[in-house]
Amino acid sequence: MTPYIGTATSRVDGRDKVTGAAKYAGEFKVQNLAIASVVSSTIAKGRIASIEIDEAMKVSGVIAVLSHKNRPAMADNDEAYKDDVAPEKGSPFRPLYDDKIMFSGQPIALVLADDFEIASFAASLVRAEYEEEPHLTDVYRKRDDAFALESPAKPRGDATKALATAEIRHEAEYYVPIEHHNPMELYASTVIWDGDGKLTVYDKTQGVQNVQRYLCGIFDLKPDDVRVMSPFVGGAFGSGLRPQYQVVLAVLAARALKRSVRVVLTRQQMYSLGYRPAMIQRIGLGARTDGTLDAITHDAITVTSQYEDFHRHETTWSGLLYKSATAAYAHKLARLDLATSCDMRGPSATTGVYALESAMDELAVALKLDPLELRLRCYSDRDQNSGLPFSSKNLRECYRQGAEAFGWHKRSPAPRSMRDGDELVGWGMATGIWEALQVPITVRIALTANGHAEISCATSDIGTGTYTIMTQVAADALGLPLENIDVRLGDSTLPQSPVEGGSWIAASVSNGIVTTGDAVRDELLRLAQKMPNSPLAGTQPGDVTLAGGMVVAKKDSGKTVSIADAMRHSGVDRIEQERSTSFEHDGSHAHNTHSAIFAEVKVDEQLGVIRVTRIVSAVAAGRILNTKTAHSQVMGGVVWGMGVALHEETLIDHHFGRIMNANIAEYHVPVNADVHDIQVIFVDEQDDIVNPLGIKGLGEIGIVGVPAAIANAIYHATGKRVRDLPITLDKLLG
Ligand code: MOS
């Protein structure tokens, strides 16, 4: 019944991706295109006193220079700038709106020219004078002024008291710095001026309809006047959830010039958009000598801009995951003179679980207990915050299969007790957790009598493999070969989809395809039953399935009518159905994905150089749609987790309030030479509750837990606990 779901299907867009046929937002060829270069502020806070554009305008080939002084009209109220996933509180950023500077690198002018070289040269001639105001970009200098957010989850019992009286106590502070997404594709928009005021916008985004609504709000346009497309996205990881400022600049310029415009940010300018908020965390764990947890306290400070309050539920993972009689959380927000922080793969869990799972390792050391054994003693079959049972949770099996594949039982517990020549060997582990979210979505299926189907939905494929899994699910739902399925997505004119984020699209769109597929099946049965002497006469819709190009009775596979015959008999050559699917959360179960990560590091004793030589990630995430793309998702998450543990850190010169390593030479990420053996295991997990197909999503679980597993392995190798990321060799030797 399901020949494609669950198989290792290669990406249907793979050939287009590797040959370059798949175009990104900045690559569409357009006639008479004006190319823009963004001028960025050099101060972090203050006002633009004057802006001098004459020198730039003198350059041959320059068409215009736009600034807050001469831009076309744009909305003057916050509501217009609130996109679907904007923070609840605050006043969204308005590019080129006025003279106010709120972060270094803020766009202050846009130079438009016949080509990029001319535009960027002319941009270097734009001179701004500023009235500077004092700025603050260092979270440690702001921590005492951070303000408290409402507690994200209800506390349980009196955790402070339980911690104070615990037999064994561990308390420590952990730090994760600001990190930037650095997707391969630059932030870009190509706006096609269609002549009659209508716009077609190719944009790098995780949500075409979000961008469309946003542009309509800012420029007072009708939905029919703006079509936003993102057929391919070269990575985004959260950076494209909210509309990026270059799309506003591109539309602003197109309206000013009545001409098509392209704006592509430089790699350096990509650091002037959102980032993973830095996080100072304090964890307290109180336990009995047998490893029973009695208290969990988790305090966090994260950062945002001066103008919007971005945050997630950073601390709640701690109380959710493990059985503990008491738990308490506190979360404060520090406003800095930076752009607003934003979601970045596994937002809140990547950082929060890093602290929790590091602390659990430290508690295991204090208890003289194997770290895996401690997790098993605290294992919970319920979400400890809500008290709800999980729709499914096969974390136990992740621990078992992961430990076995890794050889965990051969670990010698004492730090510095394992060696390989000049290198100290360390083995560490951690748990990962993420949500299994789902969102309302609409899918259209158009089936033609020759047995081809087009599946349409305005969702995105940010590189995760959405095209491919949609093709697989549709092929199974319609009983057609993969080659007969065409998927259209990334176009705001298609049936509605929220942004692709939160690991929610695979589950949502797959179940959406099945819902609409059922409607197609019903229509086919109706047509089949109109045929004289129909073998399916009297059969109910639920009693037939589509397979091998036929409508087939489930209980008697001899009773069939071919799709082609059914349609031709009624003179129908196309069936089109569109259905919306929503997922009622009836509040009876918690929906989560889980993982167990085992890491081996080798540390050069003299130099402190750390190599992550082996990682085993065992994941329980419901039904796996495609073992090949799923493997890639988790492997990518593991590699990124290595970056969080060892490499990534946005460095700010607090004197200037400016990011110093705004490039991928000095902002370190793992390269091929850093990545060794990664084994991904998908643990069988059937879930009949979460949604009809039992899918939970995989985009984010792969990164969560990895930083702690590596940090714990480094402690085991060296006996040194580094609690501020990234763990660089200076911290190890210092
Ligand atoms: Mo994801 S950080 O919701 O793109």
Side-chain angles (χ1 to χ4, degrees), residues 206 236-239 241 343-347 434 462 500-503 700:
Q206 293 174 245
F237 312 112
S239 66
L241 286 169
D343 287 312
M344 182 159 148
R345 204 174 194 174
W434 185 246
I462 58 176
E500 176 167 46
S503 303
E700 289 164 292

Side-chain angles (χ1 to χ4, degrees), residues 606-675:
Q606 269 79 48
L607 301 175
V609 174
I610 304 158
R611 297 190 301 134
V612 180
T613 45
R614 272 195 310 138
I615 299 249
V616 174
S617 172
V619 176
R623 181 193 291 218
I624 304 304
L625 287 165
N626 180 331
T627 48
K628 194 171 185 177
T629 51
H631 181 272
S632 297
Q633 275 301 296
V634 174
M635 190 171 60
V638 168
V639 171
W640 199 340
M642 290 172 50
V644 175
L646 303 177
H647 305 284
E648 294 201 43
E649 178 172 28
T650 299
L651 296 164
I652 300 171
D653 182 329
H654 297 304
H655 180 71
F656 294 107
R658 188 185 304 162
I659 294 167
M660 294 190 288
N661 56 343
N663 57 72
I664 41 181
E666 293 164 292
Y667 182 97
H668 292 169
V669 297
V671 298
N672 279 330
D674 296 311
V675 179

Side-chain angles (χ1 to χ4, degrees), residues 66-104:
L66 295 178
S67 71
H68 67 282
K69 296 265 201 200
N70 63 348
R71 61 161 175 81
M74 55 203 290
D76 61 0
N77 64 90
D78 286 340
E79 246 354 88
Y81 293 83
K82 286 237 167 174
D83 68 278
D84 294 353
V85 285
E88 249 170 69
K89 289 190 187 157
S91 181
F93 176 59
R94 306 174 187 182
L96 297 196
Y97 187 77
D98 58 20
D99 60 355
K100 200 169 170 200
I101 299 294
M102 298 186 290
F103 55 91
S104 178

Side-chain angles (χ1 to χ4, degrees), residues 124-142:
S124 74
L125 303 177
V126 173
R127 289 280 172 269
E129 299 286 334
Y130 301 97
E131 283 167 20
E132 272 194 81
E133 290 167 32
H135 63 262
L136 192 58
T137 52
D138 182 354
V139 60
Y140 281 105
R141 287 187 55 203
K142 191 75 183 212

Side-chain angles (χ1 to χ4, degrees), residues 472-490:
Q472 292 173 268
V473 173
D476 282 356
L478 301 172
L480 297 173
L482 277 187
E483 309 74 65
N484 290 20
I485 307 291
D486 281 311
V487 169
R488 289 181 61 206
L489 51 71

